[in-house]
Amino acid sequence: MVYATVYVTARETQLLSGSATEQPVAAWWETAVVYQVYIRSFRDGDGDGLGDLAGLRERLPYVASLGVDALWINPWYPSPMADAGYDVADYRDIEPSFGTLAEAENFIAEAHALGLKVLLDIVPNHTSSEHAWFKAALAGDQEARARYIFRPGQGAGGDLPPNDWRSNFGGPAWTRLSEANGKPGDWYLHLFAPEQPDLDWTNPEVRSEFEDILRFWFDRDVDGFRIDVAHGLSKAEGLPDFGAQPEAPVHLEPHPAWDQDDVHEIYRGWRKVADSYEPPRIFVAEAWVSSNERLAQYLRPDELHTAFQFDFLRAPWRAKAMREVIDDASESAAEVGAPSTWVLSNHDVVRHVTRYARSQPGHLVESGWDRSRWSDEAPDIALGTRRARAAVLLTLALPGVSYLYQGEELGLYEVEDLPGNLRQDPTWVQSGYTDPGRDGCRVPLPWSGSEPPFGFSSQAGSAQPWLPQPADWASLTQESQERDPGSMLSLYRTALGLRATWLVGLTPVQWIDAPSGVLAFRRGAIECWVNTGSDEVEVADKEVLLRSVPAGAAGVLLPDEAVWFVES
Ligand code: NOJ
């Protein structure tokens, strides 16, 4: 398949070949744009309705054509899929429904040949309950048992859980086991699903095993890892009660299960492993913590290279809130010499087209917040899409790393009306069917054609995709957007091409005074203006490099529009 090149005017061609040589040179991982591949929903190569390595390899040229620098692949290891692969049964192999280890090795080589780095996802907080270690623990192997967190219950007969911690997916974070004699026994900790028992990171065997897993993949040329629940590995000594007990996730508050100081020693060890390779390998942390000061601790020079800046995706579409997040994030990362890592969407949160399609709160929100409002307010997808176009220009103009979640380049929105019986996220069941969970942002990509399954599989007569796609994604297929210079896909390609020329390096943001509701800043030769308000704003008539509303007017910033200006 031939992918359209960036749609540009003659002046844009000239600008694309311009240079910004005065910018300081940064390492690749400090300024990379990384494309997140949620493999089970990316592309089905063997016709079973589930994305796989064959599909990903087939569409690697598409990823390269976007102009990104790297891919991050969600877990691809053998898994019973209690939590979509975040329940790993074997960290050194490939899930059979995704492919084989040999295919994975070929994929890594092919990505590199296209100039793309490859980041994998490591899941160190917990294994699958089907992992050999946990199975041995259940069979009574005491050494294996000591790698997990088993405790006697409280109360008469040990009938109450050892403490008051709640699972992130709802319900208690403890499950009680039956002993070999059939009597109720100890409880084990699982901060997520019961099929995801937490490991005990005070056990040196756990530490050396994970360093060895890192080496296994680094030896196969993997460029780095995204670290799942990086803030969860160390628990407060004695596993004390949390106390005040909200039903909602609590990882943004100080909590004895999360963000404990001991965790940093683990990452110092990991950094040494990564630095022992040539070129050195890198990490990005998924760490939901209570402040950017706490986040910066993970980014100290002898720890992790980068960490997702989740305040950015928790921010409402409001200039003031966004500016505060950008400043706070940049200042605290700069204090430890790290870049910020911007992210608008991923496989755990409501897609940002939909987040921006409803009335905006005045404060940062919890990641699942938008799901709780579905019945209250119908989303205005046209508005959300317009804001998403502006948001990507804002994001890509910021210094540091940007992560793009597959499908955002097509303008996909959250699928909110999936039937309950098709939902697979454990959140749906564990919350007692009150939280619909994250399936709505995980619906398989629409590639071509005018009706579902939109060419999701490359095989004729394939099974239906594992989740159904909405019929009106016909206008959002990759194929239809390739032909449309005004599409979201064309905007992403153009913006990424221009960023590579004009927004290189780590030059910090210099704010420009702007009317209320407007964000405006300069980086090098570029000015980025974003109007989050509902009124038009007059701006000086400068040379436009790119605007999110193609039909925008000279001298005016339209509502929910972003413009990149260039010094002429
Ligand atoms: C964070 C992952 O992104 C999410 O999808 C998963 O459910 C939890 N960690 C548990 O591994």
Side-chain angles (χ1 to χ4, degrees):
M1 166 167 299
V2 175
Y3 300 105
T5 43
V6 177
Y7 288 93
V8 285
T9 61
R11 174 62 178 143
E12 280 172 349
T13 308
Q14 203 186 353
L15 292 168
L16 267 167
S17 60
S19 87
T21 43
E22 74 278 6
Q23 310 261 6
V25 176
W28 75 267
W29 54 266
E30 292 181 295
T31 59
V33 179
V34 185
Y35 184 82
Q36 179 189 350
V37 174
Y38 194 69
I39 186 165
R40 63 203 330 251
S41 299
F42 183 72
R43 172 86 178 162
D44 172 17
D46 66 3
D48 64 357
L50 198 69
D52 50 32
L53 269 163
L56 175 54
R57 288 171 72 191
E58 183 199 319
R59 290 299 153 110
L60 257 182
Y62 166 75
V63 178
S65 80
L66 297 174
V68 298
D69 304 293
L71 303 101
W72 151 35
I73 323 274
N74 287 102
W76 62 3
Y77 318 104
S79 167
M81 299 286 165
D83 181 22
Y86 282 95
D87 45 326
V88 179
D90 178 356
Y91 292 82
R92 295 181 182 81
D93 207 346
I94 297 294
E95 159 62 26
S97 56
F98 291 159
T100 63
L101 188 55
E103 279 182 280
E105 289 172 349
N106 287 336
F107 156 75
I108 295 164
E110 288 158 7
H112 286 164
L114 288 168
L116 297 168
K117 311 262 195 230
V118 176
L119 307 180
L120 302 186
D121 205 322
I122 192 156
V123 188
N125 180 66
H126 42 264
T127 68
S128 160
S129 51
E130 292 299 311
H131 190 282
W133 278 7
F134 197 70
K135 289 204 280 193
L138 292 193
D141 176 337
Q142 292 306 311
E143 208 177 309
R145 202 169 160 118
R147 298 175 189 138
Y148 294 91
I149 303 180
F150 285 87
R151 293 288 183 277
Q154 302 188 89
D159 289 346
L160 298 172
N163 69 20
D164 65 357
W165 297 358
R166 313 269 308 167
S167 155
N168 245 44
F169 296 152
W174 296 90
T175 291
R176 193 170 198 187
L177 288 173
S178 294
E179 297 300 349
N181 60 11
K183 292 212 173 120
D186 282 351
W187 300 67
Y188 69 89
L189 178 70
H190 52 85
L191 291 175
F192 294 90
E195 297 86 352
Q196 294 168 295
D198 277 48
L199 287 161
D200 183 349
W201 274 84
T202 63
N203 184 331
E205 283 177 16
V206 172
R207 291 195 182 215
S208 63
E209 170 70 357
F210 273 86
E211 292 190 2
D212 204 57
I213 293 165
L214 295 178
R215 286 193 200 93
F216 177 89
W217 291 104
F218 290 158
D219 289 344
R220 281 163 181 73
D221 286 342
V222 161
D223 300 283
F225 278 96
R226 176 256 190 195
I227 305 171
D228 187 58
V229 213
H231 57 306
L233 278 51
S234 297
K235 279 78 178 173
E237 208 177 329
L239 311 182
D241 278 347
F242 173 57
Q245 199 54 249
E247 278 292 316
V250 289
H251 44 334
L252 298 176
E253 311 248 334
H255 186 289
W258 305 113
D259 191 27
Q260 299 296 304
D261 291 339
D262 287 351
V263 82
H264 297 285
E265 195 48 43
I266 298 168
Y267 298 131
R268 290 192 191 102
W270 287 25
R271 181 65 179 251
K272 285 189 189 124
V273 176
D275 283 349
S276 71
Y277 282 80
E278 189 47 50
R281 310 305 204 246
I282 68 111
F283 297 107
V284 56
E286 184 219 18
W288 295 87
V289 295
S290 54
S291 70
N292 282 319
E293 287 69 49
R294 294 295 301 180
L295 191 66
Q297 299 208 1
Y298 292 77
L299 301 175
R300 290 176 288 199
D302 59 347
E303 295 192 40
L304 305 175
H305 305 71
T306 52
F308 294 122
Q309 177 41 247
F310 288 130
D311 284 0
F312 192 60
L313 66 70
R314 296 174 55 222
W317 183 246
R318 289 180 186 271
K320 185 166 174 289
M322 291 180 128
R323 179 172 169 168
E324 280 167 10
V325 165
I326 293 166
D327 280 341
D328 190 50
S330 310
E331 280 159 24
S332 37
E335 275 181 25
V336 285
S340 295
T341 300
W342 310 106
V343 52
L344 286 168
S345 277
N346 65 32
H347 64 292
D348 289 330
V349 301
V350 174
R351 281 191 178 272
H352 60 272
V353 163
T354 302
R355 292 205 311 272
Y356 295 150
R358 293 191 165 101
S359 54
Q360 298 295 293
H363 51 85
L364 302 193
V365 296
E366 283 273 0
S367 60
W369 166 84
D370 211 47
R371 295 201 295 260
S372 64
R373 300 193 308 152
W374 288 1
S375 51
D376 305 343
E377 187 186 352
D380 177 344
I381 296 298
L383 176 66
T385 302
R386 183 183 172 100
R387 289 175 172 168
R389 291 176 67 93
V392 74
L393 294 203
L394 166 63
T395 309
L396 292 177
L398 294 173
V401 188
S402 289
Y403 277 71
L404 310 178
Y405 175 45
Q406 70 177 39
E408 69 170 78
E409 81 280 14
L410 303 177
L412 300 190
Y413 54 81
E414 185 84 4
V415 183
E416 298 183 315
D417 58 356
L418 289 169
N421 64 336
L422 296 183
R423 291 189 178 276
Q424 296 198 11
D425 182 353
T427 311
W428 174 234
V429 175
Q430 272 186 244
S431 68
Y433 310 102
T434 56
D435 182 337
R438 302 160 294 177
D439 292 308
C441 65
R442 300 174 175 182
V443 173
L445 292 191
W447 288 99
S448 59
S450 54
E451 55 190 43
F454 297 121
F456 177 59
S457 174
S458 43
Q459 302 294 324
S462 62
Q464 289 302 310
W466 69 281
L467 284 174
Q469 303 144 310
D472 70 358
W473 277 8
S475 60
L476 299 180
T477 63
Q478 176 255 338
E479 181 186 56
S480 66
Q481 297 198 41
E482 291 285 353
R483 295 190 295 260
D484 176 5
S487 68
M488 187 72 92
L489 179 57
S490 297
L491 179 74
Y492 269 65
R493 283 222 182 88
T494 306
L496 286 162
L498 291 169
R499 171 183 158 105
T501 301
W502 290 98
L503 291 154
V504 293
L506 286 162
T507 312
V509 159
Q510 273 179 282
W511 293 108
I512 301 170
D513 282 341
S516 157
V518 174
L519 284 165
F521 61 86
R522 184 175 297 109
R523 281 195 62 222
I526 301 297
E527 281 183 18
C528 175
W529 286 68
V530 186
N531 186 1
T532 66
S534 46
D535 297 324
E536 283 185 12
V537 172
E538 274 184 37
V539 284
D541 190 7
K542 292 177 228 165
E543 180 161 12
V544 171
L545 190 59
L546 185 62
R547 62 190 323 153
S548 65
V549 179
V556 168
L557 197 57
L558 299 170
D560 301 309
E561 184 186 34
V563 182
W564 288 355
F565 296 106
V566 62
E567 273 171 19
S568 35

